[in-house]
Amino acid sequence: MKTLFSYLTPTFGLLFALCLAPVSMATGQQFDPDEVAQGGATTHYKAADSKAFSHPAANMPFAQQMDYRLGLGIFKKLWVAAPSSTTASDGLGPLYNARSCMQCHRNNGRGHTPDPDNPADNAISLFLRLSIPPQTEAQRQALASGRLGSIPEPVYGNQLQDFAVSGLSAEGRLRISYREFQITLNGGEQVSLRKPEYHIDDPQFGPLHPQLMTSPRLTPPMIGLGLLERIPQQAILALSDPDDRDGDGISGRANWVWDQAAQGKALGRFGWKAGMPNLQQQNSAAFNGDIGISTADARNPYGDCTKAQHACLRLAHGASPIHADLEAAPEMDRTVLFFSQHIAVPARRNADNPDVLAGKQLFLQTGCARCHQPDFVTATDSQRPALSQQKIWPYTDLLLHDMGDGLADQRPEFAANGREWRTPPLWGIGLTRLVSGHTHFLHDGRARSLLEAILWHGGEARSARDNVVNMPVSDRAKLIKFLESL
């Protein structure tokens, strides 16, 4: 059912909403001190610098600080090819995208896109997911049952690995070309957007499948993941409206994915399409797919090598009886999990600034908060007390939304279709340049600023994007200031 607002022009509709929404206006204009602590009691108040995403949860007991540091050490460790003099660090690849977690998550921050004008700048921290449509009845049944989220490319596997150990060729090289175009915003402001095209150069294991589907994925920031994991499922599903029954143009769908440990479907929370149910499975998939390391939940010591890659399967691996016949022993796995659950979210900066408060008001009025849900309270968790019962401000609903043709990858993943993406959290986004050294946003880093990221929003987010386009220049500046304060 259409609302009155849907018949108004974006500008007039916004002004009309301003008149009829005094409660939202008041909420946006008021300074709420609670919002400064974006991660509740886990929030850190240390310097807003390149290490801002590197601190442990502020309420972590001193006795657990060592566990966090040990996890950080494993996160930074450079893995080497097997066999080597150290069984605790070998097993790299044979095909891989990075030698350590930290190579992709620089300073625990966001990955970067390769410089198209610098051939030596490889695609590390941005890789291509690969898959094909189902070819057999068994594959169709695997997808329908929810046990598989996609069908891997039969030769190259689940993702393109652009590195390999000595004696083996990498699968190929990811190359990106961009087409620039300009749009004009209200007030005459012009913004140039870049639309990427992805190419796989020098495929070393023969031609790729003619029905190949690809999806570029930039590594996301690591902060606050344990808090996101503890948002109650019912709180997320309460925001879901797959049939848009309230008629606001926003759906929000849950992605039901396969939980390896539970051997059943579970709510997807992590990954650009919410394809992972929890951090344990996310970490194991990254260890195995990105570095080629086997863990208790991803036991193949050859990583993403497929049966068609015979030379890869003939090389040595690092699985050892002293590590439970794995390359990363279960203790190592648990330590990395603890580390990844407890990386603190930094406190907001300038949250009481009048322009920031005005920007927050605009954020609410334009409809951004319909997907970027501001706050939650985490569930009670006796095993992780530091993360338990925290009022947090992640600005995400963890649901899938149709983002339109401009951002579509046309590659399904479990219940997510080729136009849907999970709403990414916004906390910490204003520190991207300080932490990561750039401002590359969205799932493939195409946006070079927060404004560019907004302007790529389509589909369900089109009306919110149009409201931003039609704002006065000064209001857009306030909206960006608000985002930079997160």
Side-chain angles (χ1 to χ4, degrees):
M1 183 180 75
K2 287 184 176 299
T3 65
L4 175 60
F5 293 130
S6 62
Y7 295 98
L8 303 175
T9 63
T11 302
F12 187 69
L14 176 60
L15 294 173
F16 194 65
L18 287 172
C19 297
L20 294 184
V23 175
S24 293
M25 285 179 66
T27 302
Q29 287 178 329
Q30 291 174 351
F31 169 59
D32 181 352
D34 285 350
E35 293 185 48
V36 175
Q38 299 188 95
T42 72
T43 306
H44 81 75
Y45 295 82
K46 297 180 184 297
D49 57 16
S50 62
K51 302 300 182 186
F53 291 0
S54 301
H55 303 293
N59 59 345
M60 179 186 292
F62 180 76
Q64 293 183 323
Q65 299 279 330
M66 181 59 75
D67 294 335
Y68 181 88
R69 299 297 171 194
L70 285 172
L72 173 61
I74 299 169
F75 199 75
K76 296 166 70 174
K77 176 165 67 171
L78 289 172
W79 293 83
V80 299
S84 76
S85 59
T86 169
T87 60
S89 298
D90 70 2
L92 177 68
L95 295 166
Y96 61 95
N97 292 100
R99 289 184 58 198
S100 74
C101 306
M102 190 66 85
Q103 279 191 329
C104 291
H105 299 276
R106 179 186 174 191
N107 293 332
N108 292 337
R110 192 179 302 267
H112 74 283
T113 60
D115 180 354
D117 298 322
N118 180 7
D121 187 18
N122 62 42
I124 197 166
S125 75
L126 174 72
F127 64 82
L128 278 185
R129 289 265 189 243
L130 308 176
S131 61
I132 62 172
Q135 308 291 302
T136 66
E137 184 56 29
Q139 291 177 341
R140 278 185 277 276
Q141 288 184 7
L143 292 177
S145 70
R147 285 182 172 271
L148 281 184
S150 60
I151 305 300
E153 207 281 345
V155 174
Y156 289 83
N158 286 302
Q159 64 195 59
L160 181 74
Q161 273 102 11
D162 48 5
F163 291 97
V165 299
S166 178
L168 184 69
S169 297
E171 290 185 316
R173 183 176 177 84
L174 171 61
R175 178 171 56 86
I176 311 173
S177 58
Y178 292 101
R179 179 177 62 83
E180 293 265 352
F181 62 97
Q182 286 199 329
I183 61 174
T184 302
L185 314 183
N186 183 37
E189 183 180 7
Q190 290 198 323
V191 180
S192 182
L193 302 181
R194 58 176 187 173
K195 182 175 178 56
E197 289 187 1
Y198 296 91
H199 316 271
I200 298 176
D201 291 344
D202 303 320
Q204 293 295 307
F205 293 86
L208 291 136
H209 195 280
Q211 294 179 285
L212 177 70
M213 296 182 289
T214 64
S215 182
R217 304 291 174 90
L218 197 72
T219 49
M222 294 290 296
I223 55 173
L225 300 181
L227 295 169
L228 296 179
E229 195 171 41
R230 278 153 188 81
I231 296 175
Q233 176 172 300
Q234 60 269 31
I236 298 171
L237 297 181
L239 300 171
S240 175
D241 185 17
D243 300 320
D244 192 21
R245 292 182 179 232
D246 64 6
D248 68 351
I250 307 295
S251 61
R253 295 199 310 127
N255 198 1
W256 295 101
V257 305
W258 194 252
D259 186 323
Q260 297 284 2
Q263 285 294 291
K265 289 184 178 180
L267 177 67
R269 295 172 185 250
F270 299 104
W272 284 104
K273 285 183 182 279
M276 288 290 171
N278 52 57
L279 281 175
Q280 175 67 41
Q281 194 163 320
Q282 172 71 41
N283 289 352
S284 293
F287 257 134
N288 203 245
D290 300 350
I291 311 178
I293 298 299
S294 56
T295 67
D297 292 320
R299 304 185 70 88
N300 184 1
Y302 293 103
D304 195 35
C305 287
T306 66
K307 293 179 180 177
Q309 293 172 320
H310 305 294
C312 183
L313 298 177
R314 286 196 294 268
L315 294 173
H317 60 71
S320 166
I322 64 173
H323 300 308
D325 292 323
L326 300 166
E327 291 163 325
E331 297 81 18
M332 188 181 295
D333 219 5
R334 286 192 288 271
T335 305
V336 172
L337 177 62
F338 181 83
F339 165 73
S340 59
Q341 288 174 328
H342 289 89
I343 305 172
V345 178
R348 280 186 63 189
R349 289 82 51 212
N350 306 316
D352 58 348
N353 178 284
D355 283 349
V356 170
L357 288 171
K360 173 185 162 189
Q361 180 186 359
L362 291 163
F363 183 85
L364 299 175
Q365 290 166 348
T366 53
C368 303
R370 291 173 182 163
C371 302
H372 289 283
Q373 168 68 24
D375 62 288
F376 291 95
V377 176
T378 61
T380 300
D381 185 344
S382 60
Q383 300 299 310
R384 297 283 183 265
L387 309 175
S388 181
Q389 284 290 303
Q390 300 298 321
K391 176 75 176 289
I392 61 173
W393 300 80
Y395 288 91
T396 173
D397 59 7
L398 298 179
L399 295 171
L400 299 171
H401 293 276
D402 181 336
M403 295 300 291
D405 289 331
L407 291 176
D409 64 355
Q410 308 301 346
R411 178 183 177 275
E413 184 176 335
F414 291 105
N417 65 37
R419 292 164 56 96
E420 289 179 315
W421 299 94
R422 183 203 68 162
T423 308
L426 297 182
W427 51 15
I429 200 166
L431 293 171
T432 301
R433 183 180 294 283
L434 283 172
V435 172
S436 302
H438 63 76
T439 51
H440 295 169
F441 300 112
L442 300 176
H443 67 280
D444 56 3
R446 70 178 67 187
R448 294 159 295 188
S449 69
L450 291 170
L451 181 56
E452 284 188 34
I454 294 170
L455 297 176
W456 275 107
H457 282 48
E460 297 176 21
R462 179 74 187 195
S463 64
R465 174 262 188 200
D466 287 348
N467 285 337
V468 175
V469 168
N470 292 316
M471 281 179 182
V473 174
S474 58
D475 280 359
R476 277 196 295 275
K478 292 171 184 172
L479 178 65
I480 298 301
K481 276 193 171 184
F482 162 69
L483 294 173
E484 289 174 342
S485 77
L486 298 179

